[in-house]
């Protein structure tokens, strides 16, 4: 599936003002600056659909995009960047928490991880929290153009091992570079499949990722 049509719908901090349609929704979340907005632009093939910046903290609100007239991509503020002011961090946290707690249309969440870094506590804790509120997720490694193949493999292996120690089942992993336009079609294909399941069942959450994963209590 290619994305033929993408349009910005609405931007706000109030979950009650998000679009009311009962169509599948896929949020992109992760640390500030990880490349959420860039990845949305890449997979929609539109340079300026979502606002990006070199400085962390660019996306401040919940941004809804309608894709192919039938589903939503959502760009969210990032979490946990040390240069953000405390007030901003708190604001972002509040927006993110209420979005995930209240938004019933979410089919699957994409958590973005910078491929250069070792597993970060804040990401691992976020995964655990999402699971505790029964939201399925998978992981997207970003900025793969910044590493050699060898280091990429090493980092992903290490991440997988970390996840294996924490979870009964390791979530699906994708590797992307928005700069080099790599790894986008696999994500779009997955969304297409989930949208088809949704159409057949008309039931939110009936997807393979909803087998409740268990976090190991270490
Ligand atoms: P916030 O909205 O601040 O939370 O950030 P974000 O996660 O939306 O990140 P954004 O897409 O704004 O990108 C942050 C910076 O990373 C920008 O300078 C992008 O150009 C850069 N960037 C994003 N994706 C890639 C990538 O795949 N490769 C490289 N080299 N740079 C990237
Ligand atoms: Mg952003």
């Amino acid at each position: 599936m290619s994305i033929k049509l993408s349009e910005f719908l609405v931007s706000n901090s109030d979950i009650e003002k998000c679009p009311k349609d009962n169509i599948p929704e896929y949020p992109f979340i992760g640390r500030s600056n990880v490349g959420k907005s860039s990845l949305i632009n890449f997979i929609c093939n539109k340079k300026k659909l979502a606002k990006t910046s070199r400085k962390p903290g660019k996306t401040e609100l919940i941004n809804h995009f309608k894709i192919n007239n039938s589903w939503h991509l959502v760009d969210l503020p990032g979490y946990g960047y040390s240069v953000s002011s405390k007030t901003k961090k708190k604001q972002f946290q509040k927006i993110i928490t209420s979005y995930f707690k209240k938004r019933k249309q979410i089919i699957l969440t994409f958590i973005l991880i910078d491929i250069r870094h070792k597993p970060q506590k804040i990401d691992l804790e976020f995964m655990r929290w999402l699971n505790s509120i029964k939201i399925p997720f998978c992981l997207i490694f970003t900025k793969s153009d910044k590493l050699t193949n060898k280091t990429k493999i090493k980092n992903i292996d290490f991440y997988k091992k970390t996840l294996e120690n924490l979870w009964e089942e390791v979530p699906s992993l994708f590797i992307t570079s928005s700069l080099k336009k790599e790894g986008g079609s696999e994500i779009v294909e997955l969304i297409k499949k989930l949208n088809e399941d949704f159409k057949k069942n008309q039931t939110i959450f009936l997807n393979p990722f909803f087998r409740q994963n268990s976090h190991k209590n270490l």
Side-chain angles (χ1 to χ4, degrees), residues 34 40 68-69 73 90 98 123 135 139 148 158 168 175:
V34 69
I40 287 179
N68 293 347
N69 261 325
L73 267 182
K90 269 201 176 154
S98 74
D123 292 316
I135 305 238
L139 306 186
T148 61
F158 187 78
E168 297 294 343
I175 303 164

Side-chain angles (χ1 to χ4, degrees), residues 31-39 51-59 75-78 142-146 176-179:
R31 298 182 83 216
S32 290
N33 207 246
V34 69
K36 302 174 289 296
S37 306
S38 303
L39 187 60
K51 287 185 189 137
T52 66
S53 167
R54 249 183 234 195
K55 280 194 220 148
K58 179 67 180 174
T59 310
D75 193 14
L76 292 165
T142 62
K143 308 194 183 183
S144 73
D145 54 279
K146 297 230 183 212
T176 62
S177 163
S178 300
L179 186 80

